[in-house]
Amino acid sequence: MPDALQDAPAALEGAAVNPLPSMDQVAQLAGVSAATVSRVLTGSKPVSSGTRKRVEDAIARLGYRANAFGRSLSTGESRLLLVLVPDFSNPYYAEIVSGAAAVARQSGYTLLPVDLEESWSIEGGSLETVYSSLTDGVINMVPITNERAMVNSARRKPWVNCSEFLPESDVPYVSIDHRQAACDAVQYLINRGHSRIGLINSDERFLYARQRREGYELALRRAGIEVRGELVRMTGSTSYQRGSEAAAALMATARPPTAVFAVSDMLAIGAIKAFRRAHLRVPEDIAVVGFDDIPIAEVFEPALTTIAQPMQALGRVAVELLLKRLAGETPKSQILPYTLTLRESA
């Protein structure tokens, strides 16, 4: 047997008797109690400069690293913010998280995004997982299906809503006026001469989906145009594939629409792909308007006319609201501006 292999058990035995240094070892070397070491590490109580130096020297000599979990228990804070995300595959949410992370970093916090697209269930105990998580507060973007449970959760752990919210609750939120934005998008299509306008909607568990449908219907009624059920398609998600399937269903109606409003850019792009496969030109044969202004919207061909949400700003403001809650303040909810960005698809 080669020498290296023969020596391996001895090396492992040596490693086993040299564990990572403990707080007690730091205390022994510094000549203080473990409680004093903890005070130096956490800053929970003042210690003399001489004691602090002895503890810091002992930490340096031993190479001691404080356990983050234990520190969070002693200080009552983890410097972690939980972000509940309904769909990691949607670039819209990625942009919000990016904006949120920038503000969190500047304030000494780290974001912990969690995808609850499939597992979110108040009745199934998902909120209990939120309560018990090692985080200081929560930014929520998932649909609120149980108002009482959400309000109660906000009382147990600092909580703010982003995009999704309860208009009448005292839980602070940041969002845009989804209803008016959708109304503006459809009105633009009406002004371009369209009267048979289809709607591709996602999942009406989400407040944004309900409000955008309401905006679509409001614009049609104001223009004296009948809201026709055969021109409305629900997809259940915002995937490109579902957008293509909804577009194919619209084309199969007796009188297909001449324009389509999709409640997300991903659905809109999927719809355009389906129209192209059917040899329809966009916007000459059928116009398409999306919603969100995700990064691909501008570079896709044809470039997408869409409602541009301030995604990064939504994330930034969400963290700012949460930090105010953590500081004991009662921040006001905010509705941010949006823009109708005109490009080539409509």
Side-chain angles (χ1 to χ4, degrees):
M1 180 181 294
D3 291 344
L5 293 179
Q6 289 178 335
D7 292 340
L12 290 174
E13 288 177 4
V17 297
N18 289 287
L20 292 174
S22 67
M23 185 181 294
D24 287 337
Q25 289 174 306
V26 173
Q28 184 177 6
L29 182 60
V32 299
S33 68
T36 299
V37 175
S38 177
R39 293 187 192 107
V40 172
L41 291 170
T42 64
S44 57
K45 292 183 179 179
V47 297
S48 68
S49 58
T51 299
R52 176 177 296 278
K53 186 176 187 312
R54 291 204 310 275
V55 171
E56 291 174 346
D57 288 346
I59 288 171
R61 285 181 59 186
L62 292 173
Y64 174 74
R65 294 180 64 84
N67 182 280
F69 179 75
R71 184 169 61 247
S72 71
L73 293 179
S74 64
T75 64
E77 61 178 20
S78 65
R79 312 298 291 183
L80 289 174
L81 304 178
L82 189 67
V83 185
L84 305 181
V85 182
D87 183 5
F88 276 169
S89 68
N90 191 334
Y92 167 71
Y93 296 111
E95 289 292 308
I96 291 178
V97 171
S98 175
V103 175
R105 282 194 301 269
Q106 292 170 2
S107 303
Y109 284 85
T110 299
L111 291 190
L112 181 62
V114 175
D115 188 342
L116 292 179
E117 179 182 14
E118 298 296 335
S119 62
W120 179 248
S121 170
I122 289 172
E123 292 75 15
S126 292
L127 280 177
E128 283 303 321
T129 301
V130 172
Y131 300 145
S132 60
S133 66
L134 189 65
T135 55
D136 295 333
V138 180
I139 296 172
N140 173 60
M141 291 189 281
V142 303
I144 301 165
T145 56
N146 186 315
E147 177 176 350
R148 178 177 297 178
M150 192 279 293
V151 171
N152 287 340
S153 73
R155 291 171 180 157
R156 294 176 61 179
K157 184 186 285 283
W159 181 296
V160 300
N161 288 317
C162 181
S163 187
E164 292 296 296
F165 63 95
L166 293 174
E168 304 304 322
S169 82
D170 58 0
V171 177
Y173 63 84
V174 57
S175 190
I176 69 164
D177 188 336
H178 297 281
R179 185 183 295 104
Q180 186 59 53
C183 186
D184 290 350
V186 176
Q187 185 61 54
Y188 170 75
L189 292 171
I190 293 170
N191 293 345
R192 301 283 290 178
H194 297 282
S195 58
R196 288 188 62 79
I197 301 171
L199 170 67
I200 299 179
N201 205 351
S202 56
D203 181 348
E204 289 202 355
R205 290 181 306 156
F206 288 87
L207 176 66
Y208 82 77
R210 300 193 299 273
Q211 291 186 328
R212 293 176 197 179
R213 174 180 51 79
E214 292 168 2
Y216 162 82
E217 294 174 351
L218 177 60
L220 293 182
R221 287 196 298 268
R222 283 179 175 174
I225 301 172
E226 181 182 359
V227 177
R228 306 188 66 88
E230 71 270 19
L231 296 183
V232 176
R233 289 292 180 270
M234 302 296 301
T235 65
S237 80
T238 57
S239 70
Y240 298 114
Q241 179 62 32
R242 292 296 179 87
S244 292
E245 293 168 357
L250 288 173
M251 288 187 290
T253 58
R255 293 183 59 210
T258 62
V260 167
F261 168 55
V263 301
S264 86
D265 288 346
M266 292 177 68
L267 291 174
I269 290 171
I272 291 174
K273 299 283 283 186
F275 294 143
R276 283 177 166 176
R277 285 193 293 268
H279 306 293
L280 293 176
R281 298 169 301 164
V282 177
E284 292 84 358
D285 299 323
I286 186 164
V288 179
V289 174
F291 206 112
D292 292 336
D293 200 23
I294 60 177
I296 196 176
E298 185 175 9
V299 298
F300 183 76
E301 293 291 342
L304 190 62
T305 292
T306 186
I307 294 291
Q309 292 207 65
M311 295 172 285
Q312 295 261 339
L314 285 168
R316 291 195 297 269
V317 173
V319 173
E320 290 167 359
L321 292 176
L322 185 54
L323 292 177
K324 288 180 179 178
R325 292 215 67 193
L326 289 169
E329 300 177 32
T330 305
K332 292 184 179 180
S333 298
Q334 295 188 38
I335 296 294
L336 303 186
Y338 61 87
T339 57
L340 174 60
T341 300
L342 303 180
R343 297 195 181 103
E344 300 166 358
S345 68

